[in-house]
Amino acid sequence: MFNKVSNSFYRQNDVVELSKQLLGKVLVTNINGQKTAGVITETEAYRGPEDKACHAHLNRFTKRTKVMFAKGGVAYVYLCYGIHHLFNVVTGDEGLPHAILIRAVEPLEGVEVMLERRNMTKIQPRLTSGPGCLSKALAIDKSHYGLNLESDVIWIEDRNIVVNEIIATTRIGIDYAEEDALLPWRFYIKGNRWVSKQ
DNA sequence: CACGGGATCGTCT
DNA sequence: GACGATCCCGTGT
């Protein structure tokens, strides 16, 4: 069988490095009796207190950001624009509010279910490219806030997929973050079609 | 294909 | 009361 990524992997403290390592791993959900999976093709690093784009900038601790301070290996899901549930992986030691936003996956298993959840008929990048899109396709929502990623509901597997080249560029939708908006902390697999923005 | 506006609501000020 | 770590659809080229 495939290797489920263990919590120790997520507890490394270099969130930027981890964001790259997540590329090529497989995000799997088993929700409402339906299994769906996709290869992670695009991620963004949010680096705790020193990152102006991070919800936990300056250790801002609220009901929403609370889970980012937990030990790495749990889900941080929040509602964006009142519509979209965005899925993040919390990383680092307890008290260090690092997180990785998963922005796109390439469908692997359960494609029919994904199409149905997305109200689509044709397979195209829009199915799972973009953080709101993939959450909907994989049925991730706020009820998974704080869920441990060693659970059998949402987890990540290492299937030894080789990633040749990684592009590092600026993150999306964080103009408010001033100079930190320029950090090259968005990563995607070069040449992969299942990416929200090339 | 590029652009622009509207949807929609939890969270924090 | 304002505003998103977004997406979709309509319009115009």
Side-chain angles (χ1 to χ4, degrees), chain A residues 2-194:
Chain A
F2 298 116
N3 263 345
K4 187 180 282 190
V5 172
S6 68
N7 281 338
S8 62
F9 172 85
Y10 304 109
R11 289 176 190 168
Q12 303 170 70
N13 284 338
D14 187 342
V15 68
V16 173
E17 179 58 30
L18 275 175
S19 300
K20 289 185 262 189
Q21 288 185 29
L22 279 185
L23 296 177
K25 292 202 167 41
V26 177
L27 176 61
V28 189
T29 67
N30 189 353
I31 294 168
N32 298 324
Q34 316 258 215
K35 189 178 176 194
T36 47
V39 182
I40 297 171
T41 55
E42 180 180 355
T43 59
E44 275 178 4
Y46 286 89
R47 196 170 170 216
E50 70 257 45
D51 178 4
K52 288 184 178 174
C54 183
H55 291 158
H57 180 228
L58 301 177
N59 287 317
R60 193 159 58 127
F61 188 91
T62 66
K63 194 178 168 191
R64 181 176 68 152
T65 64
K66 185 177 196 293
V67 79
M68 297 179 80
F69 293 83
K71 282 184 219 157
V74 298
Y76 170 41
V77 185
Y78 73 96
L79 187 67
C80 189
Y81 292 95
I83 306 172
H84 308 290
H85 298 268
L86 303 208
F87 172 71
N88 298 249
V89 174
V90 173
T91 72
D93 288 331
E94 183 166 17
L96 200 56
H98 291 174
I100 302 171
L101 173 66
I102 309 298
R103 292 191 54 88
V105 303
E106 173 175 350
L108 261 194
E109 293 173 24
V111 175
E112 290 305 316
V113 178
M114 294 188 199
L115 285 168
E116 195 180 325
R117 287 173 178 157
R118 295 271 294 123
N119 278 321
M120 291 170 64
T121 52
K122 274 182 62 179
I123 298 175
Q124 49 191 315
R126 213 180 71 214
L127 180 64
T128 53
S129 304
C133 295
L134 103 239
S135 293
K136 193 167 182 197
L138 300 186
I140 298 171
D141 63 39
K142 267 190 55 184
S143 71
H144 304 110
Y145 181 91
L147 184 73
N148 193 299
L149 299 177
E150 281 185 355
S151 73
D152 55 6
V153 180
I154 303 176
W155 66 95
I156 294 175
E157 290 177 4
D158 189 347
R159 299 194 185 182
N160 301 311
I161 293 171
V162 175
V163 173
N164 287 319
E165 203 169 339
I166 295 172
I167 302 289
T169 182
T170 51
R171 295 172 290 179
I172 291 179
I174 52 151
D175 294 344
Y176 59 86
E178 303 170 4
E179 73 274 16
D180 288 349
L182 302 174
L183 294 168
W185 285 355
R186 181 166 73 97
F187 305 99
Y188 62 88
I189 299 175
K190 185 179 181 184
N192 194 292
R193 170 173 180 250
W194 302 86

